[in-house]
Amino acid sequence: MANASSFTRQRFAASFLTWVTVGALALFAGGSTNAVGVEDGTAPSTAPPSARQDAASAVAAPDATVARPNVVLVLADDLDTHSLVRMVGLGLMPKLKSKVIDAGTQFSNSFVTTSWCCPSRATLFTGLYSHNHNVFTNSRPLGGVQRFDDSSTLALWLQRSGYRTGLVGKYFNNYGADNDPTTPVDDHGYVPPGWTDWQGLMDDTVDGLRAFQMYDYTINDNGRLVRHGTAVTDYQTDVIARRARDFIVESDALDDAQPFFLLVAPTAPHLEGPTPLLSGCADTAWNQTIRPAPRHAGTLPSTVQAPRPANFNEADMRDKPSWLRQVPVLTTQTLGCLKRQYRDRLTSLRAVDDLVGTLVSALQARDEWSRTVFIFTSDNGFLLGNHRLTDKVLGYEESIRVPLYIRVPGFPRQVTTRAALTNDLASTVSEFAGITPGLAVDGRSLLPLLRNPLETNWRKRFLVEYLGTVESKRNPPRVPFRAVRTTDLSRATPADQFYVEWQDGLGSKEFYNLPADPGQLASRHADPAWAGVRNLLAGWLSQFRNCGGGSCQALEDE
């Protein structure tokens, strides 16, 4: 098919490149000029402010002669920003570096607004804050796949606009568990609407078919359940890579001119749990690990140890809520467990890099790379001994920060410090596709930042939230909270402040001035010198609680 359709592909690619270099630069320019942040420090002047208004009608009715790009989105699981940066710096993720990072836009301040799998993925699919899509946790009754309303999602919007859509990998926790008779969404053979090709990892806890397992797992292949065992070729990340490659090959063969959207979701570097376990590590918070691909076992340099920033194994927790102060200091034994856990997490990323290489090679072999937008990110960050913790969910920086790189053909390598959220991905992909989201989304397209990394007409603050019930058996307990974080553009309140109100029945609060205290070691919630700023943030947080229908963006920008 590749040779037979070379003329069609070349015409499509030329049309897309014209859109990138001419149409997109005007369409998504906003109102800023003289962008700085690209490698040579210069960029063409941008369109006038009216271009954004014109773009609204263009998105609603795109010119049929303008090609729409393919979009490939790789979503890692529990991948904190530090771990990825370290692996890239060690030269151990060369494919991601050369094909995406060195050719794309780095969002150095990228965040999730709920740092937990299901709420974060629901946000990706809908562009909504957790309090608007109502997926609060990973399991029933307030979370998991059973809680997600899949009647209007990014996949459906794209499919209805003519895209071929595919998911390969993890979807939601409890997908395929078949333990809720009131809904079909967790049934063994269920395929969510909007997906042309569905390769979803099953998460059936009863049969032990956990989506997180690198071996002994099951994939729902368009309604047909396929069990994978313990052979080397069954290593989960590699199987996902091959199935994703097949989607690209089949898309080219079926209709070379039809654009596609492919979501590839490996579970690495998420710990496998409940097995395998680290021997000698009794504490359930530290005894789990993830098996790297056999070809990568033992390849991480012995000098690579878990990082120990200022907040690692925090000695003085008196500024934290009482229930958080009860977390014990990490012992020598626990530190040894953390060392092994951390090294396995990093080593498992080498197969993720191979996955990226497989996708790029498949796209290049079919002349699709020149018309493909490639996005790499994670569903949440992870705490690696910070504040004595190994977890996510909490609103601390290591938990809510995620890597985000977007490679667009024709755009330069660049970095933006403007705050990007998982909330923004649905709008971003929609705008690339030339469609309007099917919901009143809370996020916004990132195209203005791709065009001008120093865009000043951007969000000044955002909401972070976890709205599940208290899980008292965990150490520490999972406690609902709402928080507001200001960005580098904040003017009404100082930049980079974090204020959180815990719903623990005790009225617990924390407040951090991040420029002076990036490790969040000394909460100023009771410091009279910060009362004015703290009260302003509390006021913003009160307004964010029930925002929706477009009002969240206004609160972020005001």
Side-chain angles (χ1 to χ4, degrees):
M1 183 69 183
N3 292 331
S5 60
S6 61
F7 175 75
T8 299
R9 183 182 297 107
Q10 290 167 7
R11 183 173 60 187
F12 194 114
S15 177
F16 175 54
L17 289 174
T18 299
W19 175 82
V20 167
T21 57
V22 180
L25 298 187
L27 189 61
F28 306 118
S32 301
T33 59
N34 300 326
V36 179
V38 298
E39 286 189 312
D40 62 2
T42 63
S45 61
T46 60
S50 60
R52 192 179 299 274
Q53 182 177 354
D54 295 339
S57 59
V59 169
D63 185 345
T65 65
V66 176
R68 298 189 292 167
N70 308 314
V71 180
V72 175
L73 195 164
V74 177
L75 180 69
D77 198 324
D78 279 10
L79 176 55
D80 60 291
T81 300
H82 177 274
S83 293
L84 181 66
V85 170
R86 191 166 196 186
M87 285 294 287
V88 171
L90 289 168
L92 296 178
M93 299 192 75
K95 303 173 185 71
L96 178 67
K97 183 178 186 300
S98 63
K99 299 302 182 181
V100 182
I101 295 176
D102 288 349
T105 299
Q106 174 188 348
F107 293 81
S108 61
N109 282 307
S110 176
F111 302 89
V112 296
T113 51
T114 298
S115 181
W116 209 5
C117 173
C118 286
S120 185
R121 289 166 190 256
T123 293
L124 186 153
F125 288 129
T126 63
L128 301 175
Y129 275 113
S130 178
H131 69 266
N132 286 327
H133 61 56
N134 294 315
V135 179
F136 300 150
T137 71
N138 279 356
S139 57
R140 296 183 301 167
L142 296 180
V145 69
Q146 298 92 345
R147 182 83 171 186
F148 182 59
D149 180 358
D150 61 15
S151 64
S152 183
T153 66
L154 175 61
L156 266 170
W157 310 336
L158 292 170
Q159 187 183 64
R160 289 169 178 170
S161 76
Y163 269 70
R164 186 170 192 258
T165 58
L167 180 144
V168 184
K170 183 179 175 182
Y171 181 45
F172 280 102
N173 292 61
N174 299 319
Y175 169 70
D178 198 19
N179 57 14
D180 189 341
T182 67
T183 177
V185 299
D186 71 338
D187 290 355
H188 286 325
Y190 182 75
V191 176
W195 299 99
T196 312
D197 189 3
W198 179 258
Q199 309 284 325
L201 280 165
M202 304 280 284
D203 194 31
D204 186 347
T205 57
V206 175
D207 293 335
L209 307 178
R210 297 304 305 272
F212 306 110
Q213 295 294 122
M214 292 297 105
Y215 302 96
D216 287 322
Y217 57 89
T218 295
I219 290 178
N220 180 336
D221 181 347
N222 295 296
R224 182 175 64 93
L225 305 189
V226 180
R227 181 72 180 260
H228 287 267
T230 59
V232 171
T233 54
D234 287 318
Y235 188 73
Q236 188 205 98
T237 308
D238 294 342
V239 170
I240 290 172
R242 292 194 297 269
R243 287 175 177 255
R245 177 198 60 201
D246 290 346
F247 174 88
I248 294 170
V249 173
E250 291 165 3
S251 296
D252 179 75
L254 290 169
D255 185 351
D256 182 62
Q258 182 185 21
F260 58 79
F261 170 71
L262 173 61
L263 175 60
V264 186
T267 61
H270 192 292
L271 304 175
E272 291 190 53
T275 56
L277 303 178
L278 291 168
S279 60
C281 298
D283 190 325
T284 56
W286 302 96
N287 66 356
Q288 299 174 19
T289 191
I290 177 173
R291 289 165 286 185
R295 65 187 177 279
H296 296 139
T299 62
L300 192 70
S302 59
T303 55
V304 178
Q305 304 296 330
R308 297 196 177 192
N311 63 7
F312 181 83
N313 200 16
E314 187 172 351
D316 185 353
M317 300 273 279
R318 286 177 295 177
D319 62 311
K320 305 295 188 290
S322 59
W323 45 269
L324 192 52
R325 293 198 297 267
Q326 298 172 13
V327 177
V329 174
L330 305 182
T331 65
T332 300
Q333 181 188 38
T334 301
L335 291 173
C337 299
L338 169 61
K339 172 184 174 180
R340 284 177 281 173
Q341 187 185 85
Y342 176 75
R343 288 177 55 81
D344 285 345
R345 278 173 50 91
L346 262 59
T347 309
S348 75
L349 290 174
R350 301 204 66 185
V352 175
D353 188 61
D354 287 345
L355 177 151
V356 170
T358 296
L359 298 178
V360 173
S361 295
L363 292 164
Q364 290 176 328
R366 285 151 191 84
D367 295 334
E368 298 284 354
W369 187 235
S370 62
R371 67 177 194 182
T372 298
V373 173
F374 199 103
I375 304 171
F376 185 94
T377 190
S378 175
D379 61 352
N380 50 255
F382 205 70
L383 294 152
L384 296 161
N386 314 92
H387 311 292
R388 310 178 186 174
L389 305 171
T390 175
D391 206 349
K392 51 260 191 178
V393 182
L394 300 173
Y396 296 122
E397 287 286 291
E398 296 85 359
S399 178
I400 63 175
R401 280 185 175 273
V402 292
L404 175 61
Y405 299 92
I406 302 181
R407 176 264 183 192
V408 183
F411 278 69
R413 178 184 180 182
Q414 55 192 355
V415 178
T416 179
T417 63
R418 303 298 181 245
L421 308 179
T422 303
N423 308 33
D424 301 330
L425 293 178
S427 293
T428 302
V429 175
S430 294
E431 192 155 13
F432 272 123
I435 63 173
T436 300
L439 295 169
V441 296
D442 300 326
R444 66 193 71 195
S445 172
L446 296 172
L447 265 292
L449 297 184
L450 292 168
R451 175 62 188 91
N452 178 8
L454 295 183
E455 172 67 62
T456 57
N457 182 23
W458 201 249
R459 61 168 54 91
K460 299 175 178 63
R461 64 196 65 82
F462 60 91
L463 175 69
V464 182
E465 59 187 351
Y466 163 61
L467 303 178
T469 55
V470 174
E471 295 185 21
S472 57
K473 293 182 180 180
R474 297 187 64 88
N475 188 18
R478 282 195 173 134
V479 176
F481 71 87
R482 286 186 175 92
V484 61
R485 191 195 188 282
T486 64
T487 74
D488 61 343
L489 290 178
S490 180
R491 298 293 181 267
T493 51
D496 297 316
Q497 311 289 297
F498 181 80
Y499 172 76
V500 57
E501 295 179 354
W502 296 96
Q503 299 174 26
D504 57 2
L506 303 173
S508 300
K509 300 177 177 64
E510 293 177 72
F511 167 69
Y512 298 98
N513 174 31
L514 295 172
D517 184 16
Q520 297 168 291
L521 287 164
S523 175
R524 302 298 183 186
H525 63 276
D527 186 342
W530 287 94
V533 174
R534 190 174 59 247
N535 290 338
L536 282 172
L537 293 173
W540 286 115
L541 184 57
S542 178
Q543 294 182 70
F544 266 122
R545 291 176 185 272
N546 298 308
C547 72
S551 66
C552 298
Q553 274 195 44
L555 289 173
E556 291 177 350
D557 293 347
E558 188 176 333

